[in-house]
Amino acid sequence: MTLAAIKLGKKNRKNIFLNKVKKLLPEGGNLNACLTCGACASGCPATGLGDMDPRKFLRMAALGMDEEIIKSDWPWMCTMCQRCVYVCPMQIDIPQLIFNARTLRPRDERPKGIRDSCDMALRNESTSAMGTSPQDFEFVVQDVLEEYQEAQPEFADMQAPIDKKGAQFFLNQNSREPVTEPDEMVPLWKILHLAGVDWTYGSRGWAGENYCMFLADNDSWETVTSQTVGQANKLKSKTFLNTE
Amino acid sequence: MVKSVVGEENFIDMQPNRSNNYCCGGGGGFLQSGFKEQRLEYGKMKDSQIKDTGADYCIAGCHNCHAQIHELSEHYGGNYPVVHLWTLICLSLGILGPNEREYLGDDLKEVNVFHPETAF
């Protein structure tokens, strides 16, 4: 006697999470190509956290277990480092699956720390996760620069330009340096000075971190990125240097 | 770059390296996600990898990695100093002042200090 084939789930397959993500990605992220070999899970530092691993997460998505995926905190414990893609014989884009899983929860139910950092970045044109204003950034940079020009006369001519037009490089800066440890900005300035590099910060969009991206808040991510890229373009810088 | 700064014989790469290397766990928003216990657990692999090199210092490429690995170094008791690349470049050039040495270990704190009189 032949057994009837087991039917998995009652969902409309077209509408499951996995298939929605496939539509967003080139080649569907190869999300249907999993051989279940486990190479991803065996080398993933997040394997075992929250009783999850990359292979299991992909299998759950393939089985249409969308509710369990929404409940899982694991998408916030994966850093989307890409190692699983490198080792995968089928180059399956698990990190994109994870990123999109972050969007499944309402914004106000995503991790507060990441959300607050994104909201800070939206507060003013700095795009700083610490909420620092363009004026405060300009003040700190100028103040630290003058202090070092005086204390270390060999660097009396060193510059830390803000909004210089037509510079070769537009540099961004992690907020924590100007805000909590300004002396850590100086070694990089010295290297750029000695190498004769033509560079500038922007008074707007100077902050390099982008927690709106990590929050998977795509509109806010775009706002933050547009701010910083817009400033670089406005200054007619030729190369955008992301120091983050 | 690192080899030219510290000397070829002093550079010890981690294993595995390049695209087979392991993420430290500071990225992707993990540092701000609130899942601290899991973040430190995640970083255990990176901490072991660093300890296995036997190197005295770890160089971090970005601020997120620096914050995470620095915490791993203290949390798992390795207490190896974690430095930004710019710190070692300036140290090797003899232009690292007394107030730019926050992350150097005691063995290098007083070495080749640029304008030591400006310490505060």
Side-chain angles (χ1 to χ4, degrees), chain A residues 50-173:
Chain A
D51 192 30
M52 189 61 70
D53 65 56
R55 183 177 73 151
K56 194 168 169 182
F57 195 89
L58 179 59
R59 297 324 307 151
M60 285 170 63
L63 291 169
M65 297 169 69
D66 294 2
E67 280 157 37
E68 288 82 353
I69 284 175
I70 294 169
K71 270 188 218 145
S72 171
D73 287 328
W74 198 72
W76 308 96
M77 300 171 192
C78 159
T79 61
M80 302 176 282
C81 75
Q82 313 278 331
R83 191 185 193 277
C84 55
V85 186
Y86 291 129
V87 299
C88 175
M90 305 308 286
Q91 269 93 59
I92 299 175
D93 202 342
I94 296 174
Q96 278 288 357
L97 186 70
I98 300 301
F99 177 82
N100 284 286
R102 291 186 179 193
T103 67
L104 293 175
R105 290 186 190 177
R107 191 182 193 275
D108 61 2
E109 289 173 26
R110 299 176 200 171
K112 185 177 182 302
I114 301 178
R115 191 174 67 243
D116 287 352
S117 294
C118 172
D119 288 342
M120 279 290 190
L122 298 172
R123 245 171 57 164
N124 59 54
E125 295 173 302
S126 291
T127 64
S128 163
M130 299 179 87
T132 313
S133 69
Q135 293 73 26
D136 284 354
F137 176 67
E138 288 182 72
F139 174 80
V140 170
V141 168
Q142 195 54 35
D143 192 49
V144 173
L145 179 68
E146 283 169 16
E147 186 189 310
Y148 275 82
Q149 284 171 331
E150 197 175 320
Q152 302 178 0
E154 292 86 343
F155 287 92
D157 296 333
M158 180 169 73
Q159 297 297 315
I162 296 178
D163 290 344
K164 180 183 171 185
K165 292 239 164 63
Q168 176 75 39
F169 295 102
F170 180 94
L171 246 81
N172 62 15
Q173 170 78 59

Side-chain angles (χ1 to χ4, degrees), chain B residues 2-115:
Chain B
V2 175
K3 283 176 182 170
S4 71
V5 167
V6 304
E8 187 125 7
E9 68 281 14
N10 292 315
F11 174 69
I12 311 166
D13 204 355
M14 293 175 206
Q15 298 297 330
N17 57 20
R18 300 177 186 265
S19 63
N20 282 322
N21 212 323
Y22 301 116
C23 170
C24 66
F30 216 166
L31 277 170
Q32 301 280 52
S33 69
F35 296 110
K36 184 181 172 179
E37 190 191 317
Q38 291 87 346
R39 175 168 57 78
L40 291 169
E41 184 63 27
Y42 184 117
K44 207 171 177 181
M45 205 180 249
K46 176 56 68 183
D47 178 71
S48 303
Q49 230 190 335
I50 294 166
K51 284 176 180 158
D52 285 347
T53 65
D56 296 326
Y57 277 77
C58 175
I59 302 172
C62 85
H63 202 126
N64 263 317
C65 299
H66 183 272
Q68 166 77 347
I69 301 172
H70 195 260
E71 191 175 341
L72 294 175
S73 166
E74 288 179 357
H75 181 78
Y76 290 112
N79 295 313
Y80 44 83
V82 185
V83 291
H84 297 287
L85 186 53
W86 60 61
T87 304
L88 289 190
I89 293 175
C90 286
L91 179 66
S92 73
L93 290 169
I95 54 168
L96 193 68
N99 308 317
E100 303 153 60
R101 297 177 173 243
E102 174 71 22
Y103 299 108
L104 286 181
D106 290 340
D107 55 345
L108 290 177
K109 263 301 196 261
E110 310 295 331
V111 171
N112 212 6
V113 183
F114 189 56
H115 287 286

